[in-house]
Amino acid sequence: MLLTVSGPPGSGKSTTAELLADAFDFDHVSGGDIFRDLADERGYTPLEFNKLAEENDEIDRDLDRRLREIAVEETDLVLESRLAGWLAGEQADFRFWLDAPARVRGERIAEREEKDPVRATEETKAREASEAQRYEEYYGIDIRDLTIYDLSVNTARWEPDAVLDMLVTAVERYDAAGDEGKARVDLETDF
């Protein structure tokens, strides 16, 4: 089974994906971890590396290609990234989208990265705008289009364990006989 967890920075993707993987005894692969590792290996902060990615499309394409390969090749996995639901395509059994208001996400990022919440929120908004533009340009993806997701949750409303309970319940209560149609993912990539 392949579960994807997507959403903007600070939405709780990593926390939720880790908990979800533990709940089902699945492996967990984080696109954010891979991106941060790539940035660190090259001596950049994630924000700097994101800016570099605006000029060098191979950074995004390499990361996305890796995530797509993982989605196709692996089983019993929680795949987490902004585009995980799109990149996994028809391979995904369930696609989840997590979100929260920008202020809340900025505060979470500020705490994690030990920076000013206002600055973190501003940087996050800039990063999101940059990424949205690139996703549209590279793959024709409108990141605000949530129609491919099976469930969308505002993580500012519930504690992580409650969000986890919702996702686990969705997976466990799924009945294929009552399924009237999984959303198709039309993604055109050159990898």
Side-chain angles (χ1 to χ4, degrees), residues 4-63:
T4 69
V5 178
S6 301
S11 62
K13 289 184 309 297
S14 296
T15 298
T16 303
E18 288 172 13
L19 292 170
L20 192 59
D22 287 345
F24 288 105
D25 197 26
F26 287 178
D27 289 331
H28 168 225
V29 173
S30 167
D33 287 347
I34 294 170
F35 186 84
R36 284 185 286 277
D37 288 346
L38 290 170
D40 189 52
E41 288 169 13
R42 291 170 173 89
Y44 294 101
T45 68
L47 183 61
E48 291 167 338
F49 200 52
N50 197 58
K51 289 291 186 190
L52 184 61
E54 291 176 3
E55 301 165 11
N56 181 352
D57 68 340
E58 285 306 309
I59 293 170
D60 284 329
R61 292 180 190 276
D62 184 40
L63 173 62

Side-chain angles (χ1 to χ4, degrees), residues 83 86 132 135-136 139-147 149:
L83 292 182
W86 289 95
Y135 301 154
E136 180 69 39
Y139 311 122
I141 293 173
D142 177 356
I143 195 70
R144 297 165 304 196
D145 177 5
L146 304 183
T147 59
Y149 296 97

Side-chain angles (χ1 to χ4, degrees), residues 9-175:
S11 62
K13 289 184 309 297
S14 296
T15 298
T16 303
E18 288 172 13
L19 292 170
L20 192 59
D22 287 345
F24 288 105
D25 197 26
F26 287 178
D27 289 331
H28 168 225
V29 173
S30 167
D33 287 347
I34 294 170
F35 186 84
R36 284 185 286 277
D37 288 346
L38 290 170
D40 189 52
E41 288 169 13
R42 291 170 173 89
Y44 294 101
T45 68
L47 183 61
E48 291 167 338
F49 200 52
N50 197 58
K51 289 291 186 190
L52 184 61
E54 291 176 3
E55 301 165 11
N56 181 352
D57 68 340
E58 285 306 309
I59 293 170
D60 284 329
R61 292 180 190 276
D62 184 40
L63 173 62
D64 297 341
R65 184 175 18 261
R66 289 182 194 188
L67 292 171
R68 173 68 180 166
E69 288 170 0
I70 290 166
V72 169
E73 295 170 2
E74 302 292 327
T75 58
D76 295 338
L77 177 72
V78 176
L79 184 64
E80 168 224 337
S81 81
R82 214 104 54 249
L83 292 182
W86 289 95
L87 295 171
E90 302 305 309
Q91 304 297 319
D93 293 288
F94 294 96
R95 297 182 213 111
F96 301 116
W97 178 264
L98 305 181
D99 206 347
R103 175 193 53 79
V104 172
R105 294 185 293 109
E107 289 170 358
R108 290 173 178 171
I109 292 168
E111 184 175 324
R112 178 177 71 212
E113 297 180 5
E114 298 179 356
K115 59 173 68 168
D116 175 68
V118 173
R119 178 176 163 222
T121 301
E122 290 170 0
E123 289 176 354
T124 300
K125 286 180 181 179
R127 179 177 167 195
E128 286 179 73
S130 170
E131 291 172 347
Q133 180 179 354
R134 294 194 319 264
Y135 301 154
E136 180 69 39
E137 179 183 327
Y138 299 162
Y139 311 122
I141 293 173
D142 177 356
I143 195 70
R144 297 165 304 196
D145 177 5
L146 304 183
T147 59
I148 68 159
Y149 296 97
D150 299 302
L151 184 62
S152 175
V153 179
N154 176 351
T155 62
R157 305 284 315 267
W158 294 275
E159 292 294 321
D161 286 342
V163 172
L164 173 66
D165 288 345
M166 289 178 219
L167 304 188
V168 167
T169 298
V171 173
E172 289 178 342
R173 301 279 314 242
Y174 173 73
D175 179 6

